[in-house]
């Protein structure tokens, strides 16, 4: 179990301190590591509370960035077929730094865009910032095993693995 949180703000800089507070509130979901990332344009903040299971090294730290595209992801869950997907991506020329399933999602998105979901088998919720398109891609598994709560505001979208920290965000009424 991990925890994810974040926001996108189309009118002003995204509220990093508020996302940091949400990550603190879900730290029990991932006591091993914590991360916060702000997009270069300041319009997106992603936060993560990590429970290290697959790649225990610092290379599995999140938010995770794709060095080729500048895309960023926060991920909660497990992709059961990630090793086979990784081999397919490597055969197509992808290079990996970690041994995490999170990095495989980034590689699949680079290849297939939102159609990457067709390849994923597992339980998951993730938020992926597409740097080139400047859009946020939120997704969860077909059964909804991993939580992904969100609120639409006048300025954008705010999301969190748990509803209570989301409801305490200053922009959520």
């Amino acid at each position: 179990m991990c925890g994810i949180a974040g926001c996108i703000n189309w009118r002003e800089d995204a509220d990093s301190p508020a996302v940091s507070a949400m990550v603190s509130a879900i730290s029990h979901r991932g006591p091993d590591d914590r991360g916060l990332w702000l997009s270069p344009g300041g319009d997106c903040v992603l936060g993560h509370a990590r429970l290290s299971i697959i790649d225990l090294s610092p290379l599995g730290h999140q938010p995770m960035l794709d060095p080729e595209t500048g895309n960023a992801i926060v991920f909660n869950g497990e992709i059961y077929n990630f090793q086979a997907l990784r081999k397919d991506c490597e055969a197509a020329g992808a290079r990996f730094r970690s041994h995490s399933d999170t990095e495989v999602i980034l590689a699949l998105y680079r290849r297939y865009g939102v159609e990457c979901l067709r390849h994923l088998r597992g339980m998951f919720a993730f938020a992926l910032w597409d740097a080139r398109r400047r859009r946020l891609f939120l997704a969860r598994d077909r059964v909804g095993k991993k939580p992904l709560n969100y609120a639409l505001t006048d300025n954008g979208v705010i999301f969190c693995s748990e509803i209570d920290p989301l409801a305490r965000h200053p922009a959520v009424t």
Side-chain angles (χ1 to χ4, degrees):
M1 174 170 64
C2 293
I4 63 173
C7 72
I8 181 170
N9 191 316
W10 294 296
R11 296 188 180 153
E12 56 191 39
D13 284 349
D15 192 345
S16 292
V19 173
S20 182
M22 287 194 298
V23 173
S24 292
I26 60 172
S27 63
H28 60 277
R29 298 181 67 89
D32 297 330
D33 192 15
R34 180 181 166 167
L36 199 69
W37 174 84
L38 177 64
S39 66
D43 43 1
C44 179
V45 179
L46 300 178
H48 190 263
R50 181 178 182 209
L51 177 64
S52 302
I53 294 177
I54 291 183
D55 185 340
L56 306 180
S57 78
L59 295 175
H61 174 80
Q62 292 185 47
M64 186 177 283
L65 301 178
D66 182 341
E68 288 186 37
T69 62
N71 295 342
I73 188 172
V74 287
F75 168 70
N76 173 25
E78 182 179 356
I79 305 303
Y80 305 139
N81 61 334
F82 87 95
Q83 291 175 333
L85 294 170
R86 179 186 172 115
K87 287 180 185 176
D88 289 345
C89 290
E90 287 174 328
R95 302 274 186 258
F96 293 91
R97 297 178 318 133
S98 76
H99 296 284
S100 73
D101 46 359
T102 308
E103 191 174 15
V104 171
I105 298 170
L106 281 170
L108 287 171
Y109 184 80
R110 187 180 332 122
R111 252 176 111 180
Y112 301 112
V114 297
E115 294 300 314
C116 68
L117 292 176
R118 293 180 183 263
H119 302 270
L120 302 176
R121 302 292 174 259
M123 55 179 180
F124 58 87
F126 67 81
L128 191 151
W129 175 249
D130 186 316
R132 186 176 60 84
R133 292 182 182 91
R134 294 186 63 207
R135 73 176 179 194
L136 184 66
F137 174 36
L138 294 172
R140 68 190 282 204
D141 63 86
R142 293 150 189 86
V143 179
K145 179 81 175 170
K146 293 297 179 181
L148 181 60
N149 304 287
Y150 66 91
L152 302 177
T153 69
D154 290 338
N155 295 333
V157 177
I158 302 164
F159 66 91
C160 189
S161 293
E162 294 183 6
I163 201 157
D164 189 50
L166 176 65
R168 285 184 275 162
H169 188 285
V172 175
T173 57

